[in-house]
Amino acid sequence: MSKSIGIDLGTTNSVFAIKKINTEILKNAEGDLITPSCVTLKTSKLPVSKPEFIVGKHALEWIKQKPQNTVTLIKRLIGRSFNDPEVQDMITDHRLSYQIKQQTKGTQNSLAIVLNDQEYTPEEISAKILEKCRFDAEASLNDNVEYVVITVPAYFNDKQKHATRIAAVLAGLKVRRLLPEPTAAAISFGVDNIKDDEAKTILVFDFGGGTFDLSVLTISGGQFIEQGKGGDMWLGGSEIDHLLAKHILKEIANENQIDDISVLLEKQHEKQRNLFFGELQEQVEKAKIQLSKEDEACIEILGVLKDQDGDTIDIDIELTRDQFNDIIAPVIEATVQLTSKTLEDLQFSPDLIDKVLLVGGSSKIPKIIEAMQQMFGVEKVMLHKRPMLAIAEGAAILSHRLAETYECPQCGHSVLQTANLCEKCGFDLDAYTVETGVWDIVHSSAHDYYIHLENNERYLFVEQNTPLPFEKTETFKLVDLRQELVHMRFSNQVNGKEENIGDLWLGFDLNELEENEEVDPESSLHVEVTLKIDENNLIEVSAALKEFPDIKLSKTLSRGKADEQLFLSLEKLITEANKLEYKKYIMEDLLSRALLAIKTIDKIVDPKNHKVDAIACDKAAMQIEKAQKLAADEQFSQGAITYAESALYDFDLAISPEVKDEIREAVKHLREMDEHGTYEENNQAIDNLQETLDKLGIVQLLIEIQKAETICARTDQTKAYKFSQSLTDITKAIVEQDSDKISSLLDEIMPEVNKIVSADEEKIFTIHKDIAIMP
Ligand code: ADP
Ligand code: MG
């Protein structure tokens, strides 16, 4: 029977575990409980051997020799865009030993890690870590591992979670649940410490190597209710290491009278420099860990660094616990501030917290424990017995709980999750599961979720910490009476910053709708927007016109970043066109091109397997670019097509069969080019239709009169009637072949017609796409 395990896929360390009767942390191939989340690509000088990925402890050893091929902290990059300010900060800060860049093949926003000239996505690198967990777990269990619960920071947004799922798929694992890390820690704590009839509110304080996660949970009757969360996903032990390293560099500069140590470091031979940074990192971390137990530690790097003259600078610096505490004071202060803020946001005072559970490697720092004790009182604060393993334990417990079947703890027979007794050996499964807690986990929304309205306003759709699953429908009104495009942009607020999480664009043809049903000309249409969030924080949005419910669309957000950039360019195209004050025909053309592009963009991400259709991506980009260029050229096809079609329909008898065929052919071709053609081909097809339409001769004038009639029908009935009468008279003269009469009638009416039509065509047209809150 294949196994279900739990994996704590940590920023610094990963841990995997399984629950049988007790929860057991599984050893990796190296015999350790903790696997560094480090991946290196080992290349060989021999052309015959292929590059090989190494994960874990042995990968970490390569950081000194081949830092550019050794990836750490990948969790900070997963699900992020290259242009994220945080990612850019990591690049400018030189915090990564390896190169990251914009992905060549993906959308402009995706990022790639470059190893040995090859690009890898963060998902692919994370998959290597998960794969090692799976292989090593399989070796340890002597069975295959199929299902998994993977823990993620409570603060992970939907993109980051989605990317984590992809990594699991690449590693051949089926994800039963992505579990917030603090909840996992609480589960592992609850097992031994909370009785079934007790209700306790606990604050989980998870301070690891890369993230600081806070979560308030109430545990009651086997239920874990997430009350809320906070923290900072950029704060962890690596910040402490960074501060320590900075301090050590300053000390080296002082002791050796070096003006600018960074210049000296730049001048070192690359190999020596890598070795120095690797040693420094290792020593600093070792000293930090030592200072959790002892009062002094020493940093010693001998024979690596050279001064300007090539003489060796030996480093031997002592660090006391007091100095250490001073250096890391800003980090301690930040954790205290974030803890108070999280409680304030949740309107919890410290006395409502029954227990503060500290987990994560950095929680072992005595000053951290002290700071929490000061805030909550000594007796409430508890460092988990296994602070670096607790999360994997919780994941394993849930993984066991979510399995449809599991192995009877007594005889190993496969039993259903719902069974009370083992049918083979009669073991009392109920007593066993109740005693060890069968839980229900009540998840809550990770963030505030907004929908954007006109004038840069936004509407709070879901508040952070709302119990999940959640569903809500709101009605908004369109901002313009003749609006045919609705743009709904969704965002969330993470660490005080707004993040775009997806777009819905709804487009429709008002004229077409009016053919079937009356539209009240005095009142704008409405759109009903529904936002659904499931237990995994996966968000589905849907929108439908209230007056025409068939015009609808729904989509799971953050499924891939592929469409994000395209929607942004589409928005830019419309905003800029509105600013340029294009005329009606051009704008109508632009609008119909925008609708075509939206259709293509909506097809990019396959809703089933989330695969990105690269061809559709290119096509949409081309459609948007083409729309922009054609508008700038004042070229339009939509107007010409409508013109051609009404000519064929209304003046059928007045056009020769050959010309009709030519027009039909030209329209068909143009339609095709609008959708698939390049800018040049599209342009050519427009010209081609124009040339064919020129063959209409007098019919062109009749169409102009008809246009004037339509324009006046809305404003001046008498004039409209006059034009309609004139049309009838001219048509009659045409049938009678009375060319004098035709001329005189035309001479009489055309000046006025031309004036009205061109005035209408000169009108500036704005594409509206926003929504507004109902009064
Ligand atoms: P993550 O969840 O980010 O993978 P862990 O919970 O495994 O991280 O913690 C790793 C971090 O804890 C590292 O930054 C490590 O240096 C730090 N750490 C481990 N033990 C101690 C200790 N005794 N004192 C201080 N920091 C420690
Ligand atoms: Mg962790």
Side-chain angles (χ1 to χ4, degrees), residues 44 140 179 190 258 274 302 319 431 446 543 570 587 681 709 729 747:
S44 155
S140 155
L179 177 66
I258 303 163
N274 290 344
L302 305 177
L319 203 60
L570 189 70
M587 283 307 239
E681 289 167 334
E709 184 201 336
D729 296 345
D747 286 349

Side-chain angles (χ1 to χ4, degrees), residues 8-13 75 151 153 181 206-211 213 359-361 387-388 391:
D8 167 9
L9 179 62
T11 314
T12 328
N13 297 310
K75 197 164 156 187
T151 55
E181 285 159 11
D206 176 5
F207 196 23
T211 51
D213 245 343
V359 292
M388 291 166 82
I391 289 166

Side-chain angles (χ1 to χ4, degrees), residues 29-47:
E30 295 74 53
D32 301 325
L33 299 178
I34 289 175
T35 305
S37 302
C38 177
V39 177
T40 195
L41 184 65
K42 194 174 150 219
T43 51
S44 155
K45 291 202 178 74
L46 302 172

Side-chain angles (χ1 to χ4, degrees), residues 581-705:
E581 305 197 324
Y582 285 128
K583 288 176 200 137
K584 195 171 161 204
Y585 283 114
I586 298 170
M587 283 307 239
E588 280 177 351
D589 205 58
L590 198 77
L591 180 59
S592 78
R593 289 180 188 280
L595 296 183
L596 272 178
I598 290 166
K599 261 196 206 154
T600 316
I601 301 172
D602 283 336
K603 275 187 231 146
I604 287 177
V605 184
D606 187 318
K608 284 204 195 82
N609 55 21
H610 325 311
K611 280 215 178 98
V612 173
D613 181 344
I615 297 174
C617 251
D618 290 347
K619 185 173 161 186
M622 188 265 281
Q623 284 173 325
I624 294 170
E625 195 196 326
K626 195 168 72 172
Q628 190 268 328
K629 275 181 159 176
L630 287 173
D633 292 354
E634 307 211 345
Q635 277 279 49
F636 53 86
S637 56
Q638 214 45 47
I641 292 174
T642 318
Y643 187 98
E645 288 183 331
S646 57
L648 293 174
Y649 186 79
D650 295 327
F651 302 99
D652 181 43
L653 296 175
I655 312 172
S656 76
E658 298 82 54
V659 173
K660 271 195 264 188
D661 281 348
E662 258 183 67
I663 293 178
R664 275 193 207 105
E665 199 44 51
V667 166
K668 190 174 149 219
H669 180 61
L670 178 52
R671 279 233 162 89
E672 240 172 72
M673 289 305 111
D674 274 345
E675 179 148 12
H676 306 291
T678 61
Y679 161 76
E680 286 77 17
E681 289 167 334
N682 212 166
N683 222 343
Q684 175 85 47
I686 296 171
D687 288 345
N688 175 38
L689 177 63
Q690 291 294 2
E691 275 165 35
T692 325
L693 290 174
D694 283 343
K695 296 184 185 165
L696 285 171
I698 196 168
V699 173
Q700 281 189 302
L701 299 179
L702 300 182
I703 295 172
E704 293 300 301
I705 303 173

